[in-house]
Amino acid sequence: MNKATYSLAESIKLLPVNIRNSVIRRGGGSEDQERASVVFGNLFLHLHPVRVHLNTLRLGYTLGLGLISFYLLVILIISGILLMFYYIPSIDMAYNSMLDLEFAVSFGVVLRNMHRWAAHAMVAFVFFHMCRVFYTASYKSPREFNWVVGVCLLLLTLFLSFTGYLLPWDQLAFWAITVGTNIVTYVPWIGDELRYLMLGGTEVGQMALLRFYVLHIAVLPMVMAALVGVHFWRIRKDGGLSRPLDN
Ligand code: HEM
């Protein structure tokens, strides 16, 4: 029975339970309905469907490739934010920032390599995930729109990788972006203008570095985060994951 007053010792003893009850209002239950209402009533749990098909949980079907892509994105965002504390997007300072990360910053090498390898891995895993979706014919109705969202995510992943390539401002970065943006000039009619727009001038210099930096750390990640949200929401709205017998 609930008492009106508690001694100090009793209050301290009950503190963990009270904190838990203030965050999670209702406990589980033995009935499906009770358990479902707990999931609906919790901000974090309600992101999950109340029921999933057994097949959704079978690792052999998805191979976890979509989730791995997502976790890589999370690693990239966290390591990218930490890198921003050290990186200066100026042609005089950018390469020095890299040297600082390599030789002066504690765990700078780990941080930089984590970001780099997660970026390479993400390109590969998003591609593998797309192959799995294609192989299981999961692009078919009602998931056509999510396939299109996925294609945009793949393009964004590639563009994030491309814009990040220039930032170390070493010889490899400079010439890779010079070649990459020269390819853009082959776009019919507007090729030269497009390259000018990307570089903020006629050659790879300070304006190009700044543009690539802003695209890399702000514009593209924001679009990516929004689209990943749409992607996950559509998985729920399309009736959960596809099942082999659907198609
Ligand atoms: C940033 C990139 C991406 C992330 C983080 C992501 C994440 C996910 C996750 C977590 C799932 C749940 C199933 C699973 O783990 O395989 C999924 C499903 C799906 N994804 Fe992606 N995805 C990405 C890119 C793509 C691409 C490039 C495509 C296709 C062009 C795509 C199309 C789909 C479709 C159609 C489904 C539903 C599959 C089914 O019902 O079996 N996604 N995605």
Side-chain angles (χ1 to χ4, degrees), residues 55-56 61-71 73 122 125-127 129-134 136-140 143-157 224 228 231-232 234-235 238 240-243 246-247:
N55 186 57
T56 308
Y61 185 61
T62 62
L63 302 172
L65 296 169
L67 272 186
I68 294 175
S69 309
F70 176 67
Y71 293 141
L73 179 64
M122 188 167 164
F125 275 95
V126 170
F127 177 73
H129 168 59
M130 188 175 81
C131 294
R132 187 290 287 176
V133 171
F134 183 76
T136 55
S138 308
Y139 52 82
K140 287 186 185 172
R143 299 179 180 81
E144 319 88 313
F145 178 68
N146 219 10
W147 172 265
V148 175
V149 173
V151 172
C152 297
L153 284 174
L154 176 68
L155 292 177
L156 273 172
T157 308
M224 174 76 107
V228 167
H231 197 56
F232 288 177
R234 282 305 298 216
I235 294 173
D238 294 340
L241 289 191
S242 61
R243 328 194 211 308
D246 271 5
N247 304 299

Side-chain angles (χ1 to χ4, degrees), residues 21 39 44 57 79 85 132-133 157 182 185-186 212 235 247:
N21 288 348
V39 173
F44 300 104
L57 305 174
S79 57
F85 287 121
R132 187 290 287 176
V133 171
T157 308
N182 276 344
T185 59
Y186 288 95
F212 276 53
I235 294 173
N247 304 299

